[in-house]
Amino acid sequence: MTLTGKMLIGQHATAGNREAIQAINPATDSALQPAYLGGNGEHVAQACALAWAAFDVYRETSLEVRATFLETIAAHIEALGDELIDRAVAETGLPRPRIQGERGRTCGQLRTFARTVRAGEWLDVRVDHAQPQRQPLPRPDLRQRHIAVGPVAVFGASNFPLAFSVAGGDTASALAAGCPVVVKAHGAHPGTSELVGRAVAQAVKACGLPEGVFSLLYGSGREVGIALVTDPRIKAVGFTGSRSGGLALIQAAQARPEPIPVYAEMSSINPVYLFPAALAARAEALAQGFVASLTQGAGQFCTNPGLVIAVQGPALDRFISAASGLLPNCAAQTMLTPGIASAYTSGIDTLTGHAEVVAQGSATEGPNQGQAHLFVTQATAFLSNEHLQAEVFGAASLVVVCANNEEVRRVSEHLEGQLTATLHMDDDDVPSARALLPVLERKAGRLLVNGWPTGVEVCDAMVHGGPFPATSDSRSTSVGTAAIQRFLRPVCYQDFPDALLPDALQQGNPLRLRRLLDGQREA
Amino acid sequence: MTLTGKMLIGQHATAGNREAIQAINPATDSALQPAYLGGNGEHVAQACALAWAAFDVYRETSLEVRATFLETIAAHIEALGDELIDRAVAETGLPRPRIQGERGRTCGQLRTFARTVRAGEWLDVRVDHAQPQRQPLPRPDLRQRHIAVGPVAVFGASNFPLAFSVAGGDTASALAAGCPVVVKAHGAHPGTSELVGRAVAQAVKACGLPEGVFSLLYGSGREVGIALVTDPRIKAVGFTGSRSGGLALIQAAQARPEPIPVYAEMSSINPVYLFPAALAARAEALAQGFVASLTQGAGQFCTNPGLVIAVQGPALDRFISAASGLLPNCAAQTMLTPGIASAYTSGIDTLTGHAEVVAQGSATEGPNQGQAHLFVTQATAFLSNEHLQAEVFGAASLVVVCANNEEVRRVSEHLEGQLTATLHMDDDDVPSARALLPVLERKAGRLLVNGWPTGVEVCDAMVHGGPFPATSDSRSTSVGTAAIQRFLRPVCYQDFPDALLPDALQQGNPLRLRRLLDGQREA
């Protein structure tokens, strides 16, 4: 398939007329063809008009039609074959197996949402039958279902060019909910975005859906991004990226005449707690696991372990020493973009001014190389210096040495909201872990024992979310089947004749849902 | 029980030191003793510190303890007996049977949430077992539950001194979720608030809960209200009131270093559609039902039918004529406060400048009397004049006369978000109603057929919510058991030893919940 450099406004390939976006192969710093001319407000308006026109039809498609659509997208992405893999590798500098795995994750995610759509639990159907004899007043017949909120704007992320981008988790969950999607492609991987976008558009056509169900735009955040978030036909936003980027979108969404929710996943340093018994038993093994998690994918994960918290002592010294011994064997890796590489370098420079560098990875030739860094500081310094909990996106981590459990708790209470918190512990650590748990539950969306936070499973129980600034809405997750709930709202139907009720609410329960029926869950 | 004029900061009756708030009996314009000195930022900080100290304990109380607590509150409110009824009548001018009914609703609501807490579905437990053999990577054990978001600020509403005030729906659902609550009493019914507040505080004590689970503050919105919403220990806000009041709280909540959700239920004019066949068959009966709904409680309901939409013709003329004939027989009623009465008068004045007054209720002697008003305008005027869809809180309604179905649709699309939309229809109207339904689903939280929007049932299926500006968050309801979901967030536990898991997630399922277990709902 030849890349066209064009946007997709519904089924129409449309060239932009603003400044060109061109991918850079970060491994070589060379530009990749074609150039993608940015769109403008008019293109945004066209895409939103189509999305709006599609909305009432798309949101009422049957569960089967919508599930099949998601599966068809997955099949069309797989049909892109090596072309997609080659392009994504070239645009991101990520290793080929990583991109192949991510494609599997992306298509698996679409199929998981297809299953979720079919199961229909997201409709959350509740039926309270009329009680005409009730005193002092009769009760009417009341039935609730959930419907899609409206067209959703999705902003692709740089670090997962497939799984958090054009047909990633935000798009999959919004489409599953019944929301048309307008994607603003991330400028770092426009070719990957075009390939995937065309796969989605083909699936729209193959399934006979209105073309406005999906559009793909290119352009600047300031012009296309803000126009998208402020278009009155857009009713929710999904975003994964920087804190500043997320906050700008939230501000724009709040300033609308009709404010809308923005689900922004922004920044997290993912504290890892090393409890004394675990540390004493296996400081060196922990260091090995830690360094592997830290340096995976050049550390470019939202769940990268950027903070290690432990009580001082010989066991912690062993951990630091072992990690410091391993780090020089870790070769620098190509980062996603020149911008990310230079932000990483300047983040490292800032941290170096505030904490002690105890180890770093080895340098490699070539542009945009990210060298792992390990820092150490004392809890007292951490508690008084906000620079020390700023996210440095990449393979940088800071060990915070605490005098005792009380200081561990103070450091924990001082943390901003996080996506994850990890506990390395043995049986003897259970009391300390139990005491800390309430703090961690308040601070993070996912808590792990004896694992590493990188690696986010797509399943029912996953929470990839957490209190601000990890995300803008701690009540939600952006990964896993519960992500669909972000794009739904409840509607109640009172005393409706059966013929006018949507299928999900009809007396005969044609969708065979397990309803909450007069206060009882159906078996 | 002698009213003290004091706030309740946990278990401590505390006198404020700011400007006094004194209730006015709106039926007589006389001041009611005692005066309530307003609190200041220091009082807010004390209440929030107690709430914060209580949070980790309270949110982990057993389902049984928390349910019993809610039932104990209800019992303590009932034990207040006539003193509560007398005071609420004096402070609101509402008829005694209405207040008695509202007490029943309030206590019933608390007991309904007790049942919801015990049933435990709100925990939304999901378990995905480990798959150690999975290729290419093993799957960890992942378990999700919901926990309380943190202490919640509740702002009492003026129009339901019991059901939407100190121990009303926001408080009941937040306490059910496991959130301590700090209430800012509405200045119009401070004595009612004190009585109910003391009942709640007694229940806190009787149940052996930490005192910070509940506090009750008095004071100005500008000082106490903003201090409460901006206190870092407050994690969500419940509000029912004016659009300007709600927007001010939202703005303050968004400007915090850590923004928090505000659930504000603000304004709605609740369109009522009269379809041709229904209108032709029973214009006079519809007029009777309409006038009863319009004038109930002096029209001081968020779901008051402030807008009637129908196609022109003799049947609509009959409806207008019948309603106009009935209205003069409706005596003016005492409104809740002098402020509400004067806002109503000025709203009527404004509407009178933009639409034709076709009927009004009869005047009555005495202060703060609200006289019902019926206006008529043409759809073309409605579409071009935003004054015509501003909420006038009270018994005012506007009939919008449309040339045809197409104009009905245009008027509907032009509407802001609403709490309700009502369809009066017969079998012959089904096609027209069906065609309009998608628009109404997008515009409102609850749709009714052949009923009247006043009267909001507390049950599982209720949605008292809707798109902005009806509420600030269309994904939620403030009435009914789903209201608990506003104050919860998901947390995921990965590879936790059973001993460290909360009860809800333990392998043996000690709470006997119907979990989502490896993708299947348990029977």
Side-chain angles (χ1 to χ4, degrees):
Chain A
M1 205 190 300
T2 312
L3 293 174
T4 65
K6 292 184 178 170
M7 302 183 284
L8 278 169
I9 298 182
Q11 292 288 314
H12 293 79
T14 306
N17 53 13
R18 291 289 196 269
E19 198 179 343
I21 288 158
Q22 197 155 6
I24 305 290
N25 182 330
T28 61
D29 257 352
S30 56
L32 294 163
Q33 296 302 328
Y36 288 77
L37 293 177
N40 60 30
E42 193 53 45
H43 298 116
V44 171
Q46 289 167 16
C48 293
L50 283 180
W52 190 247
F55 177 48
D56 281 342
V57 172
Y58 181 61
R59 71 178 165 94
E60 294 299 329
T61 48
S62 71
L63 303 186
E64 184 54 35
V65 164
R66 220 177 309 156
T68 301
F69 171 47
L70 294 169
E71 290 163 346
T72 307
I73 295 173
H76 278 274
I77 290 173
E78 286 165 348
L80 292 168
D82 278 352
E83 187 178 5
L84 177 64
I85 305 296
D86 295 341
R87 181 74 190 193
V89 168
E91 289 187 329
T92 62
L94 291 169
R96 195 173 181 88
R98 151 68 198 273
I99 293 291
Q100 287 169 321
E102 195 181 325
R103 177 178 59 187
R105 175 195 179 90
T106 305
C107 295
Q109 183 165 257
L110 286 157
R111 294 188 174 107
T112 298
F113 277 109
R115 280 195 295 278
T116 298
V117 168
R118 283 198 184 91
E121 289 215 355
W122 57 273
L123 287 158
D124 191 12
V125 168
R126 296 153 174 250
V127 175
D128 291 308
H129 283 108
Q131 298 175 347
Q133 311 305 329
R134 192 185 62 173
Q135 294 300 329
L137 288 170
R139 181 170 88 173
D141 181 278
L142 292 153
R143 292 162 192 254
Q144 183 190 126
R145 67 162 178 164
H146 277 68
I147 69 169
V149 291
V152 170
V154 170
F155 289 76
S158 64
N159 61 336
F160 281 88
L162 300 173
F164 282 80
S165 192
V166 175
D170 285 340
T171 296
S173 53
L175 291 175
C179 301
V181 168
V182 181
V183 174
K184 181 189 162 302
H186 196 286
H189 54 267
T192 306
S193 297
E194 185 188 343
L195 290 169
V196 174
R198 280 156 67 178
V200 179
Q202 285 162 2
V204 169
K205 190 171 183 188
C207 294
L209 297 171
E211 61 170 332
V213 165
F214 177 80
S215 289
L216 173 65
L217 303 174
Y218 295 88
S220 75
R222 203 173 305 168
E223 183 165 6
V224 169
I226 296 297
L228 194 49
V229 170
T230 56
D231 189 287
R233 293 159 293 202
I234 293 294
K235 301 299 185 188
V237 178
F239 169 87
T240 299
S242 70
R243 187 161 172 175
S244 59
L247 293 179
L249 295 185
I250 292 165
Q251 192 166 31
Q254 284 291 330
R256 292 165 48 123
E258 179 199 17
I260 55 171
V262 175
Y263 298 99
E265 195 239 283
M266 296 180 288
S267 77
S268 182
I269 53 175
N270 304 296
V272 173
Y273 293 84
L274 307 176
F275 283 94
L279 207 45
R282 52 178 188 281
E284 291 73 16
L286 286 171
Q288 204 155 23
F290 165 71
V291 169
S293 176
L294 174 69
T295 57
Q296 193 188 342
Q300 300 166 118
F301 292 106
C302 355
T303 54
N304 192 58
L307 199 67
V308 176
I309 300 169
V311 173
Q312 65 188 11
L316 178 57
D317 295 343
R318 279 167 50 213
F319 171 85
I320 294 172
S321 153
S324 301
L326 291 165
L327 225 53
N329 303 326
C330 299
Q333 295 169 68
T334 305
M335 297 196 80
L336 289 158
T337 70
I340 286 174
S342 80
Y344 178 68
T345 303
S346 89
I348 291 294
D349 288 349
T350 304
L351 261 185
T352 304
H354 297 278
E356 183 195 354
V357 183
V358 293
Q360 57 186 71
S362 63
T364 37
E365 288 298 308
N368 306 312
Q369 298 298 299
Q371 238 172 305
H373 280 73
L374 185 62
F375 297 83
V376 172
T377 195
Q378 302 300 311
T380 45
F382 185 81
L383 289 167
S384 61
N385 185 344
E386 285 309 301
H387 287 106
L388 293 174
Q389 68 167 311
E391 182 185 35
V392 177
F393 191 71
S397 195
L398 171 66
V399 180
V400 178
V401 181
C402 300
N404 49 40
N405 278 345
E406 184 42 44
E407 211 165 59
V408 168
R409 191 183 174 93
R410 274 210 299 283
V411 164
S412 305
E413 289 283 15
H414 182 69
L415 289 175
E416 295 188 305
Q418 305 291 337
L419 292 170
T420 70
T422 300
L423 300 89
H424 282 280
M425 50 177 285
D426 278 358
D427 287 351
D428 288 352
D429 297 315
V430 166
S432 312
R434 194 190 301 283
L436 192 63
L437 204 49
V439 184
L440 302 184
E441 288 172 332
R442 280 193 266 106
K443 292 290 180 180
R446 178 166 57 112
L447 311 179
L448 305 81
V449 169
N450 294 336
W452 298 99
T454 42
V456 181
E457 189 71 28
V458 180
C459 60
D460 294 316
M462 177 50 62
V463 178
H464 190 63
F468 186 91
T471 79
S472 55
D473 189 337
S474 72
R475 297 157 297 173
S476 66
T477 175
S478 63
V479 175
T481 59
I484 194 175
Q485 293 168 3
R486 299 177 297 168
F487 303 117
L488 295 167
R489 47 174 279 260
V491 178
C492 174
Y493 301 76
Q494 179 172 326
D495 284 337
F496 262 53
D498 215 47
L500 207 56
L501 280 171
D503 289 357
L505 298 183
Q506 284 171 10
Q507 188 61 14
N509 192 15
L511 303 186
R512 302 180 176 282
L513 301 166
R514 292 191 183 183
R515 306 169 300 178
L516 189 58
L517 192 67
D518 294 320
Q520 299 295 317
R521 178 66 57 186
E522 291 182 305
Chain B
M1 207 192 298
T2 313
L3 292 174
T4 65
K6 291 183 177 167
M7 300 183 284
L8 278 168
I9 299 182
Q11 293 287 313
H12 294 79
T14 305
N17 53 13
R18 291 289 197 267
E19 198 179 345
I21 289 157
Q22 197 156 6
I24 305 290
N25 182 331
T28 61
D29 257 352
S30 57
L32 294 162
Q33 296 302 328
Y36 287 78
L37 294 177
N40 60 32
E42 193 53 43
H43 298 117
V44 171
Q46 288 166 16
C48 293
L50 283 179
W52 189 246
F55 177 48
D56 281 343
V57 172
Y58 180 63
R59 71 178 165 94
E60 294 300 328
T61 49
S62 72
L63 303 185
E64 185 54 36
V65 163
R66 218 177 311 156
T68 302
F69 171 47
L70 294 168
E71 290 162 346
T72 307
I73 296 173
H76 278 273
I77 290 172
E78 286 164 349
L80 292 167
D82 278 352
E83 187 180 4
L84 178 64
I85 305 296
D86 295 342
R87 181 75 190 192
V89 168
E91 289 187 331
T92 62
L94 291 170
R96 194 172 180 86
R98 152 68 199 273
I99 292 292
Q100 287 168 321
E102 195 181 324
R103 177 180 56 187
R105 176 196 178 89
T106 305
C107 294
Q109 184 164 257
L110 286 158
R111 294 188 174 107
T112 298
F113 276 110
R115 281 194 295 278
T116 298
V117 168
R118 282 197 184 92
E121 289 216 355
W122 57 274
L123 287 158
D124 191 12
V125 168
R126 297 153 173 249
V127 175
D128 291 307
H129 283 108
Q131 296 175 349
Q133 311 304 331
R134 193 184 63 172
Q135 293 300 331
L137 287 171
R139 181 170 88 173
D141 180 278
L142 292 153
R143 292 161 192 253
Q144 183 190 126
R145 67 162 179 166
H146 277 68
I147 69 169
V149 290
V152 171
V154 171
F155 289 77
S158 64
N159 62 337
F160 280 87
L162 300 172
F164 282 80
S165 191
V166 176
D170 285 340
T171 297
S173 53
L175 291 176
C179 300
V181 168
V182 181
V183 174
K184 183 191 163 300
H186 195 285
H189 53 268
T192 306
S193 297
E194 185 188 342
L195 290 169
V196 173
R198 280 156 65 178
V200 179
Q202 284 161 6
V204 169
K205 191 172 181 187
C207 294
L209 297 171
E211 61 170 333
V213 165
F214 177 79
S215 289
L216 172 64
L217 303 174
Y218 295 89
S220 75
R222 204 173 306 167
E223 184 167 5
V224 168
I226 295 298
L228 195 48
V229 169
T230 55
D231 190 287
R233 292 158 294 202
I234 294 294
K235 301 299 185 188
V237 178
F239 168 88
T240 300
S242 70
R243 187 160 171 175
S244 59
L247 294 178
L249 295 185
I250 292 165
Q251 193 166 30
Q254 284 291 329
R256 292 165 47 123
E258 179 199 17
I260 55 171
V262 175
Y263 297 100
E265 194 239 284
M266 295 180 288
S267 76
S268 182
I269 54 175
N270 305 296
V272 173
Y273 293 85
L274 306 176
F275 283 94
L279 207 45
R282 52 177 189 282
E284 291 74 16
L286 286 171
Q288 205 154 20
F290 165 70
V291 169
S293 177
L294 174 69
T295 57
Q296 193 188 342
Q300 300 166 118
F301 292 105
C302 356
T303 55
N304 192 59
L307 199 67
V308 176
I309 300 169
V311 173
Q312 65 187 14
L316 178 57
D317 295 342
R318 278 167 50 213
F319 171 85
I320 294 172
S321 153
S324 300
L326 291 166
L327 225 53
N329 303 325
C330 299
Q333 296 170 69
T334 305
M335 298 196 79
L336 289 157
T337 69
I340 286 174
S342 80
Y344 178 68
T345 304
S346 90
I348 291 294
D349 288 349
T350 304
L351 261 186
T352 303
H354 298 277
E356 183 195 355
V357 183
V358 292
Q360 57 187 71
S362 63
T364 36
E365 288 299 307
N368 307 312
Q369 298 300 298
Q371 238 172 306
H373 279 74
L374 185 63
F375 298 83
V376 172
T377 194
Q378 302 299 311
T380 46
F382 185 81
L383 289 168
S384 61
N385 184 344
E386 284 310 301
H387 287 107
L388 293 173
Q389 69 168 313
E391 182 185 33
V392 177
F393 190 71
S397 193
L398 171 66
V399 180
V400 179
V401 180
C402 300
N404 48 41
N405 278 345
E406 184 43 42
E407 211 165 59
V408 168
R409 191 183 173 94
R410 272 212 300 284
V411 164
S412 306
E413 288 283 15
H414 182 68
L415 290 175
E416 294 187 305
Q418 305 291 337
L419 292 170
T420 70
T422 300
L423 300 90
H424 282 281
M425 50 175 286
D426 278 357
D427 287 351
D428 287 354
D429 297 315
V430 166
S432 311
R434 195 190 300 284
L436 192 62
L437 203 50
V439 184
L440 301 185
E441 289 172 331
R442 281 193 266 107
K443 292 290 180 181
R446 178 165 57 112
L447 311 178
L448 305 81
V449 169
N450 293 338
W452 299 99
T454 43
V456 181
E457 189 72 28
V458 180
C459 60
D460 293 315
M462 177 50 62
V463 177
H464 190 63
F468 186 92
T471 79
S472 55
D473 189 338
S474 73
R475 298 158 297 172
S476 66
T477 174
S478 64
V479 176
T481 58
I484 193 174
Q485 292 167 3
R486 299 176 297 167
F487 303 116
L488 296 167
R489 47 173 281 260
V491 178
C492 175
Y493 301 76
Q494 180 172 325
D495 284 337
F496 262 51
D498 214 47
L500 206 56
L501 280 170
D503 289 358
L505 298 183
Q506 286 173 8
Q507 188 61 14
N509 192 16
L511 304 185
R512 300 177 176 282
L513 301 166
R514 292 193 183 182
R515 305 168 300 178
L516 190 58
L517 192 68
D518 293 321
Q520 298 295 316
R521 178 67 57 185
E522 290 182 305

